[in-house]
Amino acid sequence: MSDSSRILARVAETIATRRDASPDSSYVAKLFSKGPDAVLKKIGEEATEVVLAAKDGDAQHLLYEVADLWFHCMVLLEQHGLRPEQVEQELARREGLSGLAEKAARPTK
């Protein structure tokens, strides 16, 4: 497991342990206590901040905002009983595939 995988696993574990904590003591618990839409709203806000940081051209600010977005996406994964390792596995499955071919092979809804 790479160092980056380990940090993602540790952050995911922290999120999981804080899910049922008191909302007064944990930001993650506060998000969960507000219901599923709170996490979705936060992801939307963070995605917008990523776009704005990218447009500003400040690489350090962009890194900060992407970290915020990834964190909130990890909260969303926890909300759905998923782990970052599963995302890594999906990315590994796609590695070497044409993005167009991979997308065309997805089942339609």
Side-chain angles (χ1 to χ4, degrees):
M1 187 181 283
S2 70
D3 287 341
S4 60
S5 294
R6 281 192 286 271
I7 189 63
L8 292 177
R10 288 195 310 265
V11 170
E13 191 56 39
T14 299
I15 290 168
T17 61
R18 294 187 181 162
R19 181 179 187 153
D20 297 320
S22 167
D24 295 330
S25 68
S26 166
Y27 173 74
V28 170
K30 183 181 275 191
L31 272 179
F32 280 119
S33 74
K34 292 179 179 180
D37 285 353
V39 175
L40 298 176
K41 180 180 176 189
K42 194 64 183 167
I43 288 174
E45 291 171 9
E46 296 300 342
T48 299
E49 290 173 6
V50 166
V51 170
L52 294 173
K55 287 187 69 66
D56 287 345
D58 181 340
Q60 191 60 43
H61 186 213
L62 178 59
L63 283 172
Y64 180 86
E65 296 301 344
V66 169
D68 283 351
L69 178 59
W70 283 21
F71 174 82
H72 288 91
C73 286
M74 291 176 68
V75 173
L76 180 66
L77 289 173
E78 172 64 27
Q79 193 174 52
H80 289 272
L82 299 169
R83 302 278 304 166
E85 295 85 7
Q86 292 172 276
V87 176
E88 290 173 337
Q89 291 166 359
E90 177 59 18
L91 290 171
R93 182 191 69 78
R94 295 180 188 188
E95 188 174 17
L97 294 176
S98 157
L100 296 174
E102 191 282 326
K103 188 170 183 177
R106 292 181 193 172
T108 57
K109 291 184 179 182

